[in-house]
Amino acid sequence: MGACVSIDTIWVLSRIMRAALVPVLPSAAGSRWSLPRPEVSPALLVVAIAVFFAVAANQAFLSAALAGRTANAFSTWSFAAALLVMLTALHSLLLSLVMFRWATRPLLSLMILAAAGATYYMQKFGIYIDPTMARNVLHTDLVEAGELLTLDLLRHMALYAAPPIFVVWWARLRRQTWQRALLQRLGLMLGSVALLLICLLLVFQDFSSLMRNHKEMRYLITPANAVYSFSRAIAVDTRQVNRKREPVGTDARLAAGWSDRARPALFVVMVGETARAANWGLNGYTRQTTPELAALDVVNFTDVTSCGTNTETSLPCMFSAIGRRDYDEDRIRHSDSLLHVLARAGFEVVWRDNQSGCKGVCAGLTEQRLDRSEVPGLCADGRCLDEILVRGLDSIARDAKGNLVVVLHMLGNHGPSYYKRYDERFKRFVPACETDELRQCSRQQVVNAYDNALLYTDHVIAETIGFLKTQSGKFDTGLIYVSDHGESLGEKGLFLHGIPYAIAPDEQTRVPMVWWLSPSFKKSFGIDGECLLRTTGKPVSHDHLFHSVLGLLQVQTSAYEKAFDAAASCRG
């Protein structure tokens, strides 16, 4: 059934595209408006589009591959020529696999649109189209996607996609017998493979060294990168649909000391979004972007590394027992998280979300989606400011029957619409970039908008701490804030995040982390506050979150590793 639907869809698309894009030209002989429409074979059309991809869609790949070479050297030009031929042959081979006469035009059009979209974001923000980035795109909600659909994108698509799509639908495809069509396709495939091998042999030493030392560069080859990455992401998601989670911490229980405590615990984990350590006021940034936290008794860790450069990777990783040090994405996504272990130990767990969901971290637990709320003054255009996460915490605490852990997943500094992440009270650094088209702003304007959003994050964290202080008569309270990943703000020509981790700049992997523990919490759980302050300069990472929370809350389980408990040396 699925195959039939796909074929029908492509056939309908071909009819629509033909009606919309093929000019209606008078056919009367001698008409001065009559233009000849060349008749070409599907194979020739495929090669022509493959040449277009090589020349027009692979500037990022060619620039990276030729970086550091002497511009006027013969070896540079010969290497560049070989790369162009290889790019043409590669895409000719890929396209020949789906080269059926009735599907050629719609499939080529879709590939051109994919290439145009990929080149826009690669050129605009310096991103790589790898499977992780593809998964981010597939899991992006409509509001978030809308912030990336700009006039600049439409102009780019018109320039890169409209002319070749016009050519695809203007040219007439020559009718052939199936035998001749099959021979042409086999010839194109064999010719493409032969060209690939010949060019590869001619530049093997340079090319193999390049790919070996810069494996991430293959994700710049467009549109092959989009075809591979989206296919792999969809295949992985399909396999994961009905897969069961591997249990973690099945022996989890509260330590013996819990029986002597007068009050239950209320612990909040705040997951920040896109906050980078370099602009965090408590880390010594030239601007004080965390004035409210600076006035509170908080513990600020200054050397913190994220597990990934995007939410889709970092969120499951930071709540897992495995972490980055022994990274296995498949295992992480299909294992119980820290929250499942806490629930198993008897904690009530609530996930409150103002962004894109918990990515499976809270599967089977209580999840409250607040990003679509309609609260005047906090919500507009399908988005809410992060103070929405604090509203209603009092009722959750009031209804709690025992120990409670609440996770607040923030919208934070999610770009490129930094200016939408705060209200007028926090518009202190001006002029701020107030458009999604970051390159229309100066870099300082982008930084100003970003820093204003950090001021608002500082306020929301401080407001949450203020709420926890009001609960001191009923609970021992504590809080950890940590961002999921950082952000590039124009350094090295990069914007946003999502660069492959192996080559990601520090701006995308260094994040802030702040702890606040009430006096009664430190007393009940034997935490030496002065000792904690002395450890804040030591390197820690997302790998420490799982084990530090278990340690702070004195949950005993074989899944706990003391070496990754940031407070282990300060707990009596």
Side-chain angles (χ1 to χ4, degrees):
M1 178 65 72
C4 293
V5 171
S6 299
I7 291 172
D8 290 344
T9 302
I10 293 174
W11 184 87
V12 171
L13 177 61
S14 69
R15 299 298 95 188
I16 295 173
M17 295 287 281
R18 182 180 179 87
L21 296 176
V22 176
V24 180
L25 300 173
S27 58
S31 172
R32 57 183 177 177
W33 298 108
S34 180
L35 293 175
R37 292 179 59 199
E39 186 178 64
V40 299
S41 67
L44 182 59
L45 187 59
V46 162
V47 172
I49 297 302
V51 171
F52 168 78
F53 288 152
V55 175
N58 280 278
Q59 298 97 324
F61 172 74
L62 292 170
S63 296
L66 299 174
R69 290 176 172 269
T70 305
N72 57 359
F74 174 78
S75 60
T76 300
W77 287 95
S78 60
F79 186 57
L83 291 178
L84 284 171
V85 174
M86 290 169 68
L87 288 169
T88 301
L90 172 64
H91 289 105
S92 294
L93 178 61
L94 289 176
L95 294 172
S96 67
L97 298 175
V98 292
M99 192 184 69
F100 301 98
R101 185 182 185 279
W102 55 269
T104 299
R105 284 193 175 112
L107 288 174
L108 285 180
S109 299
L110 290 175
M111 290 285 282
I112 291 168
L113 289 171
T119 56
Y120 173 78
Y121 291 107
M122 291 163 66
Q123 294 173 12
K124 190 85 170 178
F125 303 118
I127 68 171
Y128 289 66
I129 309 297
D130 62 358
T132 300
M133 182 60 68
R135 185 178 291 113
N136 287 334
V137 173
L138 292 172
H139 294 178
T140 296
D141 60 39
L142 292 178
V143 176
E144 185 177 333
E147 294 176 353
L148 295 171
L149 300 178
T150 62
L151 287 176
D152 198 21
L153 170 62
L154 294 178
R155 287 192 292 267
H156 180 94
M157 295 296 286
L159 177 64
Y160 274 77
I165 288 179
F166 174 82
V167 170
V168 165
W169 291 87
W170 177 51
R172 292 185 299 169
L173 293 183
R174 183 177 298 125
R175 292 186 177 277
Q176 300 171 318
T177 63
W178 70 266
Q179 296 95 332
R180 184 174 179 81
L182 180 60
L183 286 174
Q184 279 199 357
R185 188 203 284 193
L186 290 176
L188 179 57
M189 295 172 65
L190 292 174
S192 299
V193 172
L195 273 178
L196 270 174
L197 292 176
I198 291 171
C199 291
L200 182 60
L201 290 174
L202 289 174
V203 294
F204 181 78
Q205 184 174 351
D206 287 347
F207 187 77
S208 62
S209 176
L210 185 69
M211 291 295 103
R212 183 170 58 251
N213 296 325
H214 303 282
K215 294 180 180 179
E216 71 285 346
M217 201 176 292
R218 65 188 185 274
Y219 296 120
L220 296 176
I221 299 174
T222 310
N225 53 359
V227 173
Y228 169 78
S229 297
F230 278 92
S231 299
R232 182 174 174 185
I234 292 171
V236 170
D237 285 351
T238 301
R239 289 199 306 268
Q240 292 176 352
V241 171
N242 296 316
R243 182 171 169 180
K244 293 183 178 180
R245 285 184 169 273
E246 294 295 326
V248 174
T250 55
D251 57 346
R253 66 186 187 281
L254 299 180
W258 270 95
S259 58
D260 300 328
R261 295 197 176 92
R263 291 184 294 269
L266 168 54
F267 199 84
V268 174
V269 178
M270 299 188 74
V271 181
E273 168 67 35
T274 320
R276 70 183 202 172
N279 290 49
W280 192 245
L282 292 177
N283 285 351
Y285 181 44
T286 53
R287 289 173 166 176
Q288 181 48 285
T289 53
T290 53
E292 294 188 49
L293 287 176
L296 297 173
D297 182 22
V298 298
V299 178
N300 179 68
F301 291 83
T302 58
D303 188 3
V304 186
T305 306
S306 69
C307 187
T309 60
N310 57 80
T311 305
E312 196 69 30
T313 299
S314 284
L315 200 59
C317 184
M318 71 166 71
F319 282 92
S320 76
I322 304 166
R324 187 80 209 180
R325 67 191 186 280
D326 189 21
Y327 189 71
D328 183 334
E329 180 179 355
D330 190 61
R331 183 181 169 197
I332 286 173
R333 290 182 179 278
H334 294 99
S335 296
D336 282 348
S337 71
L338 165 67
L339 305 184
H340 297 105
V341 178
L342 292 173
R344 195 167 285 126
F347 285 82
E348 180 184 349
V349 179
V350 178
W351 181 286
R352 309 195 89 206
D353 200 282
N354 190 35
Q355 208 214 121
S356 56
C358 69
K359 311 298 183 185
V361 171
C362 64
L365 304 172
T366 301
E367 181 180 13
Q368 299 176 353
R369 295 296 300 266
L370 308 177
D371 52 323
R372 296 292 187 272
S373 301
E374 297 181 1
V375 179
L378 285 182
C379 304
D381 301 324
R383 282 291 197 198
C384 294
L385 295 175
D386 278 328
E387 283 176 280
I388 193 73
L389 293 168
V390 187
R391 289 202 177 190
L393 282 179
D394 53 348
S395 61
I396 293 175
R398 184 176 59 249
D399 296 339
K401 300 298 189 292
N403 297 310
L404 175 63
V405 171
V406 180
V407 182
L408 305 181
H409 188 198
M410 305 175 71
L411 182 57
N413 281 51
H414 197 289
S417 303
Y418 307 123
Y419 69 101
K420 294 181 180 178
R421 309 303 178 228
Y422 54 91
D423 57 34
E424 288 295 321
R425 295 173 296 166
F426 300 91
K427 191 177 178 180
R428 301 178 193 174
F429 303 118
V430 293
C433 183
E434 296 189 347
T435 174
D436 299 332
E437 307 274 8
L438 296 184
R439 292 189 185 273
Q440 292 184 6
C441 302
S442 68
R443 183 171 179 272
Q444 189 57 55
Q445 290 172 327
V446 174
V447 172
N448 287 345
Y450 183 87
D451 286 350
N452 288 336
L454 278 185
L455 282 171
Y456 183 69
T457 291
D458 166 71
H459 172 71
V460 175
I461 300 171
E463 189 176 4
T464 307
I465 293 174
F467 161 75
L468 291 176
K469 287 181 177 180
T470 67
Q471 301 297 310
S472 59
K474 180 180 178 181
F475 296 98
D476 292 328
T477 57
L479 173 147
I480 288 180
Y481 165 86
V482 61
S483 182
D484 60 351
H485 54 78
E487 185 90 326
S488 288
L489 298 176
E491 299 88 359
K492 307 179 186 70
L494 300 177
F495 287 91
L496 304 184
H497 52 268
I499 296 295
Y501 196 86
I503 61 168
D506 286 349
E507 290 83 6
Q508 296 191 26
T509 60
R510 300 288 179 171
V511 296
M513 183 167 71
V514 171
W515 293 13
W516 176 84
L517 305 175
S518 69
S520 67
F521 187 98
K522 286 186 279 192
K523 181 178 179 180
S524 295
F525 290 88
I527 305 295
D528 184 339
E530 293 299 322
C531 173
L532 267 184
L533 290 173
R534 292 194 296 270
T535 67
T536 55
K538 295 181 179 179
V540 293
S541 70
H542 279 169
D543 291 14
H544 288 75
L545 181 65
F546 182 98
H547 307 282
S548 295
V549 171
L550 291 180
L552 285 172
L553 296 177
Q554 294 190 4
V555 174
Q556 293 183 342
T557 170
S558 57
Y560 168 79
E561 296 181 50
K562 185 177 181 179
F564 290 92
D565 180 352
S569 61
C570 300
R571 190 167 53 249

